[in-house]
């Protein structure tokens, strides 16, 4: 359908001005003398330079920088310099304006931030394999001026909010990067509201069915929940005020993404997720009364409702590394339902919502500098030039999301480590040499091995020995990115020495077998022994894992090796794969922009079936693999190897069947299994591959592997299984 677009330019101009004035109102609290003029100047420059550009939606482009500036001001709490930078964030990249122009008009600082923003704007947009390396560069700017990252997050948030007009494959790519990197980054910077929104928006595009399902379920019980919250809050509110505290008490829904995570983690249906919302008590306290008031409120809540002793979290006494301060408890509600209650002051709440910027504002009055420590850690990690960019990214990402524990040194100094950290992590945190020579530790005066998992509040003393050196399996013992990268570089050095030795041995061995020692033959040997690199070959020789007789074996099969020389992964393109593989007769999947029929295999990690939302991934040796867009590996694949992702769509009409798994739970009853298998085999004529059943005290829990045609077929089957008496839940599983 074609629609003629008639643009009312006058109305548009009015709308632009309206949005600009809204931005000014949002930034009012931080405005100082002369600021308004600066913002106007930036707005005029952006307006003029973007004047002929439009967004995919057809709207004037200027809406975007205004919106980004508004997010920066309102949702992150940034000041004038950032607002100016946000307004101008796309001009150097997309228009004739140069960095010199910016510096002349707005000064050095603004030019530097915009330079940072321009540099990282290409981070994920290019078709290169260097995304990880680019991300590392982006983090370097974080160590420089964190405002670059904060404005980038505002930019990403607005793009995610307005992604409906993008083609599907772009939506998938952008949503994947967001869930893989930007949401963890927002989390680490303490921007909880933005983090949750980024997660929900990503899920909306990556897993639309589940997203809609949970949204619908939430909506159905909205009124009922509101009533429950009102009844729960009323007595708290009353007593809090009686005792002279000034407080705002309310219920707040949890995000769709966090509910889905809980369902997956605990393997429970929506109905069994108890914390669909949390209660917040936000206190208006004088700085000196903050802590006492929080505990007073805690005492009021736990007098009214019985607390779960395992669920008290005190981030008031020891704030999280990203600055988060709050008191959390879970109490039993009037209807026998656990309810989470979060208690904090207005100052703490502002830090919780706006993160870094708010933290900065209150810095003088706060004795915590966890965020500074974190940025210092980022600098340390980045300063290790040897780390492989992708490894670095993985380690780094893990550290972005983890919670902290607090550990004491023998002298009583406090060290923050991620949850799950071991004695060895602690050793590396103290000093690289202490880590490298660590043989054990004393935790609270008791001797423990290096792999001991530290608990919050432990006091740790490290025991070292000059004979100790880092070992390969230490990589599984540590969780901090710092320890990992130190161990890796030390192992690498060690390996280099061993390889050198092995190289000499191999040279001698080859000579005795009359094989010429050259690059070609060395590579053939590595391939023969299925080793990823010639260095690995040398190491294996040095360690005696490859002996003379093995090399002889290679000689006898050399001819065969030549006929199947390995494919070089770097040179593999989608086109090559397409040319290499002839479309088979049974293709029911259309792949690539031109929707060709080419060969593929279905990924075992998510077992896609027709009807699932899918994409193709070009693998090094196995052609194109088809994954579901909500596959647990999808975000990682799409954000790191975007250039290898190809579009894929099911071509409906086939009679083929696909293997998938169903988990059926219920109340055990006579004939239950019979009834289930009757529905599957007789009513639906579906073939079963396997069935395993556990019954425990009357609870039935079964896993059935079946062959179905497509998602519609599967959904109908699930619907009918749910009608079987005794069955309470049927869910699809992947592995
Ligand atoms: Mn932008």
């Amino acid at each position: 359908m074609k629609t003629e677009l008639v643009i009312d330019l006058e109305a548009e101009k009015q709308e632009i001005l309206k949005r600009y004035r809204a931005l000014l109102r949002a930034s009012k609290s931080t405005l100082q003398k002369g600021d308004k003029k600066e913002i106007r100047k930036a707005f005029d420059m952006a307006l003029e330079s973007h004047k002929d550009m439009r967004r995919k939606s057809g709207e004037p482009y200027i809406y975007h920088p205004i919106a980004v500036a508004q997010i920066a001001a309102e949702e992150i709490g940034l000041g004038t310099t950032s607002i100016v930078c946000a307004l101008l964030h796309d001009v150097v990249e997309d228009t004739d304006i140069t960095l010199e122009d910016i510096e002349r008009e707005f000064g050095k600082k603004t030019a530097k931030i915009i330079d940072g923003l321009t540099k990282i704007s290409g981070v994920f947009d290019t078709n290169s394999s260097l995304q990880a390396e680019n991300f590392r560069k982006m983090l370097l700017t974080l160590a420089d001026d964190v405002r670059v990252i904060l404005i980038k997050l505002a930019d990403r948030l607005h793009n995610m909010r307005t992604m409906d007009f993008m083609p599907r494959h772009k939506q998938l790519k952008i949503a994947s990067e967001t869930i893989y990197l930007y949401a963890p980054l927002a989390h680490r910077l303490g921007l909880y509201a933005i983090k949750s929104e980024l997660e929900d928006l990503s899920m909306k595009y990556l897993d639309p069915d589940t997203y809609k399902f949970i949204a619908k379920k939430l909506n159905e019980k909205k009124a009922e929940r509101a009533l429950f919250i009102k009844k729960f809050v009323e007595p708290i509110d009353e007593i809090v005020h009686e005792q002279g505290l000034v407080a705002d008490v309310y219920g707040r829904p949890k995000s769709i993404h966090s509910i889905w995570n809980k369902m997956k983690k605990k393997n429970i249906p929506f109905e069994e997720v108890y914390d669909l919302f949390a209660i917040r008590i936000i206190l208006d306290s004088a700085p000196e009364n903050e802590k006492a008031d929080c505990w007073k409120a805690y005492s009021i809540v736990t007098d009214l409702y019985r607390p779960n002793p395992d669920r008290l979290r005190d981030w008031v006494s020891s704030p999280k590394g990203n600055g988060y301060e709050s008191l959390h408890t879970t109490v039993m509600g009037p209807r026998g339902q656990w309810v989470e209650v979060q208690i904090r002051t207005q100052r703490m709440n502002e830090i919780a919502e706006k993160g870094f910027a708010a933290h900065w504002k209150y810095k003088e009055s706060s004795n915590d500098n966890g965020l500074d420590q974190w940025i210092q850690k980022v600098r340390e990690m980045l300063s290790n030039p040897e780390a492989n960019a992708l490894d670095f990214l993985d380690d780094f990402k893990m550290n972005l999301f983890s919670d902290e524990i607090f550990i004491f040194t023998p002298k009583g100094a406090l060290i923050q480590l991620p949850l799950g950290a071991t004695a060895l992590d602690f050793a590396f945190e103290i000093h690289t040499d202490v880590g490298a020579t660590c043989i054990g530790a004393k935790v609270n005066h008791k001797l423990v091995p290096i792999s001991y998992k530290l608990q919050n509040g432990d006091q740790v003393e490290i025991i070292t020995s000059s004979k100790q050196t880092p070992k390969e399996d230490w990589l599984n013992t540590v969780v901090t990115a710092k320890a990992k990268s130190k161990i890796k570089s030390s192992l690498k050095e060690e390996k280099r020495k061993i390889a050198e030795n092995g190289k000499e041995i191999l040279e001698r061995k080859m000579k005795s077998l009359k094989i010429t020692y050259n690059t070609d033959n060395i590579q053939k040997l590595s391939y023969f022994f299925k080793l990823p690199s010639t260095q690995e070959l040398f190491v294996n020789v040095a360690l005696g894992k490859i002996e003379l007789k093995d090399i002889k074996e290679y000689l006898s099969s050399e001819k065969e090796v030549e006929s199947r020389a390995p494919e070089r992964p770097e040179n593999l393109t989608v086109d090559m794969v397409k040319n290499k593989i002839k479309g088979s007769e049974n293709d029911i999947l259309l792949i690539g922009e031109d929707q060709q029929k080419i060969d593929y295999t279905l990924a075992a990690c998510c077992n896609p079936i027709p009807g699932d939302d899918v994409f193709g991934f070009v693998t090094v040796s196995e052609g194109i693999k088809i994954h579901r867009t909500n596959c647990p590996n999808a975000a990682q694949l799409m954000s790191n190897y975007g250039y290898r992702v190809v579009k894929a769509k099911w071509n409906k009409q086939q009679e083929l069947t696909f293997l998938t798994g169903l988990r059926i739970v219920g109340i055990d009853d006579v004939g239950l299994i019979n009834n289930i298998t009757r529905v599957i085999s007789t009513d639906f004529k579906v073939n079963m591959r396997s069935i395993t059943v556990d019954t425990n005290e009357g609870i039935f829990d079964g896993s059935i592997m079946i062959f179905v045609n497509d998602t519609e077929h599967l959904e109908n089957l699930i619907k009918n299984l749910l009608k079987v008496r005794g069955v309470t839940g049927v869910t699809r599983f992947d592995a």
Side-chain angles (χ1 to χ4, degrees), residues 138-176:
M138 166 164 139
L139 289 166
L140 271 171
T141 60
L142 166 104
D144 246 15
D145 193 326
V146 77
R147 281 176 292 190
V148 174
I149 305 291
L150 294 172
I151 297 167
K152 188 67 202 168
L153 280 170
D155 184 28
R156 175 55 55 126
L157 179 57
H158 185 243
N159 284 334
M160 288 292 295
R161 280 176 183 169
T162 53
M163 206 156 63
D164 280 343
F165 293 92
M166 287 275 185
R168 178 79 180 133
H169 70 280
K170 283 212 172 145
Q171 290 175 344
L172 287 177
K173 188 165 180 295
I174 294 171
S176 303

Side-chain angles (χ1 to χ4, degrees), residues 55 61 64-65 68 86 89-90 94 121 152 155-156 158-159:
R55 305 198 84 205
Y61 194 83
H64 170 62
V68 174
H89 80 271
D90 278 333
D94 299 337
S121 77
K152 188 67 202 168
D155 184 28
R156 175 55 55 126
H158 185 243
N159 284 334

Side-chain angles (χ1 to χ4, degrees), residues 200-218:
D200 271 9
L201 286 167
S202 298
M203 188 180 164
K204 187 175 147 193
Y205 291 100
L206 294 175
D207 196 358
D209 293 344
T210 314
Y211 180 87
K212 277 182 224 146
F213 169 80
I214 296 176
K216 193 173 142 242
K217 286 272 185 187
L218 276 175

